[in-house]
């Protein structure tokens, strides 16, 4: 397999040092400030130091040191059926949140000691989690209950459970406000927030996109990546969009264009389609037919921090496709991933690396972005790192270096 374990320890250290030097050079200058990839005490995006992937059948999370191309220690035991994975965006990214599908919990892992320091009970069969860029609220989809658990991140407690709903069709007119189709299952899966955390988007396997709106409350304004927003007291279903032609929407990503407009990208591997919706326009999503079972999606940004690329894993084509974020037009041919069954996709905070988990090959592949091009990947082979490791199944999360 081309590129397998081709990382050289000293070469990767040199790359990491160069990245750190580049970041350090921007301190106090025109670096982007605020948002999930930034430390309030250190202005500027941080380079990736570690990649985390879930080992579903082992109830564990694997931590890969990207500098030295190795696993530092044994996997972190978190609970039954870990699938969803996300990083606390606050400060130094000290905490990793792991959704345990079979345990109906979220495990909070302290990255410093690699131990679970809190377990949060959520709904039945949780699937994915997103955290608002401000770090104030987390959101977990509960597939068997058609709900979203809202977690207060500073206290790690569930403060609200939102029941998702679908509009009742009303022949000859618009759907009545607040109506629901009794007995119609939504089965929420992927979830993401906009830049301020004021809106939450949920991909529903039943064929819908649910949009939750933050309801203002009293208190001092909170600051999100998009600027100051009012204190959010609760969330409610703003609207539910039917994705016409969908079979089983699975994952999604959001690009915040401005304070009032988001573009949402939803994958549907069974329909071989990607749906994309401009939140400020009508309740109708556009569709892009894509052969190869589009599985996961991530948004990439250019050097100016503007969303410009959409990365989609094509599970049955063993490839990664790059699209324009503006209109989802393909940017060249799909790129082979040097492995089988690509699933989770993540983009580094600097936008220069794209990570893909390959569940059919026990690999995690890393693509280097140069301009609008992706080079051939370098690959972490999990079984070569440790023969007991099995296929990564679930999300990927990227963490910066932890300094004392």
């Amino acid at each position: 397999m081309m590129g397998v374990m081709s990382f050289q320890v000293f070469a990767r250290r040199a790359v990491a040092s160069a990245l750190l030097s580049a970041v350090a050079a921007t301190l106090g200058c025109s670096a982007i400030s605020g948002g999930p990839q930034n430390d309030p005490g250190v202005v500027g995006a941080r380079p990736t130091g570690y990649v985390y992937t879930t080992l579903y059948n082992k109830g564990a999370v694997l931590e890969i040191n990207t500098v030295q191309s190795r696993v530092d220690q044994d996997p972190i035991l978190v609970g039954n059926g870990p699938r969803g994975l996300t990083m606390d965006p606050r400060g130094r990214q000290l905490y990793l949140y792991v959704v345990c599908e079979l345990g109906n919990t979220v495990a909070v892992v302290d990255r410093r000691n690699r131990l679970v320091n809190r377990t949060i009970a959520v709904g039945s069969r949780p699937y994915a989690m997103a955290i608002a860029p401000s770090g104030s609220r987390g959101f977990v989809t509960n597939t068997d209950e058609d709900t979203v658990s809202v977690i207060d991140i500073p206290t790690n407690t569930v403060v609200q459970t939102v029941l998702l709903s679908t509009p009742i069709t009303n022949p000859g007119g618009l759907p009545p406000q607040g109506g629901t189709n009794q007995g119609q299952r939504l089965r929420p899966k992927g979830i993401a927030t906009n830049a301020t955390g004021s809106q939450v988007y949920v991909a529903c396997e039943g064929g819908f996109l649910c949009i939750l709106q933050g309801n203002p409350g009293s208190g001092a304004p909170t600051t999100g990546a998009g600027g100051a927003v009012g204190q959010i007291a609760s969330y409610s279903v703003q609207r539910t969009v039917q994705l016409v032609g969908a079979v089983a929407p699975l994952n999604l990503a959001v690009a915040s264009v401005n304070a009032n407009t988001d573009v949402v990208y939803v994958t549907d591997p069974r329909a071989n389609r990607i749906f994309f919706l401009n939140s400020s326009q009508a309740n109708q999503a556009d569709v892009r037919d894509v052969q190869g079972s589009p599985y996961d999606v991530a948004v990439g940004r250019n050097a100016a921090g503007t969303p410009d690329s959409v990365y989609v894993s094509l599970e049955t084509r063993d490839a990664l496709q790059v699209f324009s974020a503006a209109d989802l037009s393909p940017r060249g041919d799909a790129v082979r991933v040097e492995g089988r069954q690509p699933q989770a996709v993540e983009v580094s905070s600097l936008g220069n690396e794209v990570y893909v988990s390959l569940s059919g090959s026990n690999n995690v592949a890393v693509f280097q972005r140069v301009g609008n091009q992706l080079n051939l990947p370098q690959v972490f082979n999990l079984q070569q790192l440790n023969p007991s490791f099995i296929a990564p199944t679930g999300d990927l999360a990227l963490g910066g270096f932890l300094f004392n």
Side-chain angles (χ1 to χ4, degrees):
M1 179 177 295
M2 183 175 181
V4 173
M5 289 302 296
S6 61
F7 286 163
Q8 298 297 320
V9 172
F10 296 106
R12 289 295 290 169
R13 283 176 175 165
V15 171
S17 297
L19 286 173
L20 286 171
S21 298
V23 172
T26 66
L27 299 183
C29 300
S30 58
I32 301 170
S33 62
Q37 288 84 28
N38 299 288
D39 189 322
V42 181
V43 180
R46 58 168 71 83
T48 298
Y50 295 90
V51 56
Y52 297 85
T53 184
T54 52
L55 303 177
Y56 189 87
N57 292 328
K58 284 190 173 292
V61 170
L62 187 65
E63 179 185 74
I64 302 172
N65 184 323
T66 64
V67 178
Q68 299 180 350
S69 301
R70 64 184 176 87
V71 176
D72 288 330
Q73 302 177 54
D74 291 333
I76 306 167
L77 299 179
V78 292
N80 293 332
R83 185 179 294 280
L85 200 60
T86 191
M87 192 72 65
D88 182 353
R90 298 172 301 163
R92 296 169 57 203
Q93 292 182 315
L94 297 181
Y95 300 101
L96 182 70
Y97 285 73
V98 187
V99 177
C100 297
E101 183 179 30
L102 303 182
N104 299 334
T105 59
V106 173
V108 185
V109 176
D110 189 323
R111 294 178 59 210
R112 293 164 295 186
N113 57 24
R114 306 177 76 255
L115 294 175
V116 175
N117 71 354
R118 184 69 177 264
T119 299
I120 307 169
V122 290
S124 178
R125 204 88 183 188
Y127 182 84
M129 180 174 180
I131 298 180
S134 65
S136 59
R137 290 289 188 269
F139 310 89
V140 180
T141 53
N142 302 308
T143 303
D144 281 354
E145 294 181 358
D146 290 353
T147 62
V148 171
S149 296
V150 182
I151 297 174
D152 179 70
I153 295 299
T155 62
N156 286 327
T157 57
V158 175
V159 294
Q160 186 186 3
T161 300
V162 182
L163 178 64
L164 303 179
S165 60
T166 61
I168 294 177
T169 55
N170 183 11
L174 296 174
Q177 293 295 319
T180 60
N181 279 336
Q182 298 299 322
Q184 184 168 355
R185 295 298 312 281
L186 285 166
R187 298 184 296 277
K189 289 296 184 72
I191 190 166
T193 79
N194 65 356
T196 62
S198 60
Q199 287 194 307
V200 181
Y201 300 90
V202 185
C204 297
E205 198 176 39
F208 296 90
L209 173 67
C210 288
I211 303 174
L212 308 185
Q213 176 69 46
N215 304 310
S218 59
T222 58
T223 301
V229 295
Q231 181 77 20
I232 295 176
S234 63
Y235 287 82
S236 59
V237 178
Q238 180 195 61
R239 56 185 167 134
T240 300
V241 179
Q242 184 171 9
L243 301 177
V244 179
V247 176
L250 186 62
N251 293 307
L252 80 170
V254 176
S256 292
V257 178
N258 54 49
N260 301 311
T261 304
D262 304 316
V263 179
V264 188
Y265 309 91
V266 184
T267 61
D268 188 335
R270 290 171 57 185
N272 281 314
R273 285 176 169 169
I274 303 172
F275 298 87
F276 54 111
L277 173 76
N278 186 314
S279 66
S280 65
Q281 296 179 352
N283 288 346
Q284 179 61 51
D286 291 319
V287 180
R288 173 74 62 185
D289 290 321
V290 180
Q291 295 302 311
S293 300
Y295 189 91
D296 196 14
V297 56
V299 175
R301 291 167 171 77
N302 58 24
T306 303
D308 70 338
S309 301
V310 174
Y311 302 95
V312 178
S313 56
L314 304 179
E315 187 178 20
T316 60
R317 287 183 60 188
D318 298 335
L320 180 69
Q321 179 68 64
V322 186
F323 298 90
S324 165
D327 58 4
L328 216 62
S329 58
R331 285 185 171 165
D333 296 331
V335 180
R336 296 284 295 180
V337 293
E338 303 295 325
R340 294 184 294 109
Q341 292 180 265
Q343 292 189 343
V345 180
E346 276 290 338
V347 181
S348 68
S349 61
L350 295 175
N352 62 331
E353 292 180 324
V354 182
Y355 293 76
V356 183
S357 68
L358 307 169
S359 65
S361 302
N362 289 350
N363 294 340
V364 174
V366 186
F367 290 84
Q368 296 289 330
R369 174 177 172 173
V370 180
N372 287 329
Q373 301 297 318
L374 293 178
N375 72 352
L376 290 175
Q378 295 173 302
V379 179
F380 296 106
N381 185 288
L382 305 189
Q383 286 189 319
Q384 287 188 14
L385 294 172
N386 187 319
S388 68
F389 297 156
I390 57 177
T393 51
D395 286 344
L396 290 172
L398 308 180
F401 297 98
L402 288 175
F403 298 106
N404 294 325

